Amino acid sequence: MSYLHNIGTYFLMIAEMFRKPTKWSVMRTLILKDIEDLIIGSLGIVAFISFFVGGVITIQTALNIDNPLIPKYLIGFATRQSIILEFAPTFISVIMAGKVGSFITSSIGSMRVTEQIDALEVMGINSLNYLVFPKFIALMLYPFVISIAMFLGILGGMAAVIFGGFGTLEDYIIGIQMDFIPFHIIYAFIKTFVFAFILATIPSFYGYYMKGGALEVGKASTTSFVWTSVVIILLNYILTQLLLSA
């Protein structure tokens, strides 16, 4: 029953988040701060991981294509498909659940522990709109992060091909361009927007409704990471079934 209670409370939180908005002059400052913390602050780790994982995908693909009858341009094709369809939108989102999700849960949870949220309520401010809505708006820029992950992943694969001697640059580029389906980009960004909403709301839920002290803040951060990752993986399966199986 506790799971049903949490699910119901989560959806009530989402509805409350859009009610009684904070005045724009204050909200603008909160949104800009969250963009810096959640989006700009994540670019470094996303760029590093994307570049080298793109290289690893390329190397593993090249090592498994050892039949001389299989053309080398399939390395670029397989790298592009892996990065655009799954690695960039899904794998990066799970990583962001650890970085961004834990940050959101701990920051809101710390405000709950120090009774700052109670103070907001006493002043007549909708604390959910004040705390969660700016993070939701900031993470609507999340597709920008994923587009960088896609670009750097393919670039990392290109570097692996050239410096590892697994093929030629021309073959890799031909593979990247071969049988390109524009809907795959749309599919990836649809998933990205859904995952951005999950990254903004589930960690906020665990931070906002936590009880206890500093130790419980750490536990709430761990729990939020686990459930955010689980929901992202489940929604990834559902969205892939809906969007690609037709």
Side-chain angles (χ1 to χ4, degrees), residues 26-110:
V26 176
M27 182 61 69
R28 182 181 60 212
T29 303
L30 294 172
I31 291 172
L32 291 175
K33 183 180 184 303
D34 282 329
I35 289 174
E36 181 180 358
D37 291 339
L38 305 180
I39 301 298
I40 298 175
S42 302
L43 290 178
I45 185 67
V46 168
F48 178 81
I49 291 173
S50 300
F51 184 84
F52 286 102
V53 171
V56 169
I57 291 172
T58 302
I59 292 170
Q60 290 182 347
T61 304
L63 292 176
N64 283 282
I65 299 179
D66 54 359
N67 191 322
L69 298 178
I70 300 176
K72 290 293 185 181
Y73 61 74
L74 285 180
I75 297 173
F77 175 79
T79 300
R80 184 199 73 201
Q81 293 296 92
S82 299
I83 289 172
I84 289 178
L85 292 177
E86 281 307 315
F87 166 72
T90 306
F91 185 62
I92 292 295
S93 295
V94 173
I95 293 171
M96 292 285 276
K99 183 186 184 301
V100 170
S102 297
F103 172 80
I104 292 174
T105 303
S106 60
S107 60
I108 296 179
S110 298

Side-chain angles (χ1 to χ4, degrees), residues 90-171:
T90 306
F91 185 62
I92 292 295
S93 295
V94 173
I95 293 171
M96 292 285 276
K99 183 186 184 301
V100 170
S102 297
F103 172 80
I104 292 174
T105 303
S106 60
S107 60
I108 296 179
S110 298
M111 293 183 70
R112 172 64 74 186
V113 169
T114 56
E115 299 182 350
Q116 295 179 54
I117 294 178
D118 297 331
L120 290 172
E121 296 286 351
V122 168
M123 290 187 290
I125 297 172
N126 180 357
S127 57
L128 282 171
N129 180 264
Y130 184 88
L131 295 173
V132 183
F133 187 74
K135 294 171 174 55
F136 164 70
I137 296 299
L139 281 167
M140 287 300 100
L141 294 176
Y142 185 52
F144 170 69
V145 177
I146 297 304
S147 62
I148 291 176
M150 290 178 182
F151 172 75
L152 289 176
I154 292 173
L155 191 67
M158 183 184 297
V161 163
I162 295 171
F163 295 110
F166 298 107
T168 64
L169 178 60
E170 290 75 14
D171 284 340

